[in-house]
Amino acid sequence: MKDKDEKKPAQAPPETEETAPLEDELLKLRQELDEHKQQYLRVLAEYDNFRKRTANEKSAIYNNAVSDTVQAILPIADNIGLALDQENASAEDMHKGVEMIQTQINAAFEKLGITSVGKIGEIFDPNLCNAIAHIEDESLGENVISLVYQKGYMLGDRVVRHAVVQVAN
């Protein structure tokens, strides 16, 4: 004998004319949800691929830039090594060699787009130079660089190193 309190499993109500449009609407919404879900997953996968591709491109660009810089500097390093290997070179020959190396450095900087800033006689620009000393010199004028302790350099419009200078008041 069955207990009266036991409930019978719920059965789907018979489909009537009222529920048929709702069932169709539900089916349509589920299909639309599946389409949106697939579209979302495709966009997510495309974004992940894009992120990986841009990371690889960024790494390649960095490596190419470093390689180009090293290639520009290697001849200079070679010539410094050759100069140091000279045992019987006169002071005059060494001076000429250092001048040639300086010329190579300037050419390499030009090739890389590096320019120097903070020259004697220029107007002091605190965005490009650090003033560590001030002197009174009426012949130079106010805020004019009178001495350069260390050259500054720029790459395009970006300061690589600020010049260290003395400024006239």
Side-chain angles (χ1 to χ4, degrees):
M1 192 190 241
K2 291 190 177 181
D3 191 1
K4 290 181 183 178
D5 292 335
E6 275 188 44
K7 294 183 180 179
K8 293 184 179 180
Q11 294 179 355
E15 193 172 305
T16 63
E17 289 179 18
E18 294 175 3
T19 60
L22 294 175
E23 290 290 329
D24 291 342
E25 180 76 18
L26 179 61
L27 182 62
K28 180 182 173 187
L29 289 173
R30 283 186 177 158
Q31 288 173 342
E32 193 175 316
L33 175 65
D34 286 341
E35 289 173 14
H36 286 295
K37 184 178 178 182
Q38 291 302 316
Q39 184 180 14
Y40 167 75
L41 291 174
R42 280 192 300 275
V43 168
L44 192 62
E46 286 176 13
Y47 173 73
D48 191 45
N49 290 338
F50 170 77
R51 186 183 53 76
K52 289 176 184 175
R53 186 174 56 250
T54 54
N56 289 338
E57 288 173 359
K58 182 179 177 182
S59 177
I61 289 170
Y62 175 79
N63 290 337
N64 288 339
V66 169
S67 177
D68 290 347
T69 303
V70 169
Q71 286 179 1
I73 294 174
L74 281 176
I76 299 165
D78 292 340
N79 286 336
I80 290 172
L82 290 172
L84 291 174
D85 288 342
Q86 299 301 314
E87 293 179 13
N88 297 325
S90 68
E92 185 179 319
D93 289 341
M94 289 299 276
H95 188 267
K96 286 180 185 178
V98 171
E99 284 178 342
M100 290 170 55
I101 290 171
Q102 181 64 48
T103 302
Q104 276 187 307
I105 290 171
N106 291 340
F109 281 180
E110 185 177 326
K111 180 180 177 182
L112 295 170
I114 297 172
T115 56
S116 64
V117 294
K119 296 178 179 93
I120 294 175
E122 288 182 349
I123 300 294
F124 172 73
D125 182 351
N127 297 315
L128 305 176
C129 304
N130 291 330
I132 61 167
H134 294 275
I135 62 164
E136 296 290 329
D137 190 344
E138 294 176 12
S139 66
L140 289 175
E142 193 172 328
N143 284 332
V144 175
I145 297 172
S146 60
L147 183 63
V148 177
Y149 296 107
Q150 187 177 58
K151 281 186 180 181
Y153 294 96
M154 293 186 68
L155 178 59
D157 59 351
R158 179 176 165 235
V159 176
V160 177
R161 181 175 79 183
H162 291 84
V164 179
V165 298
Q166 171 181 284
V167 178
N169 287 339

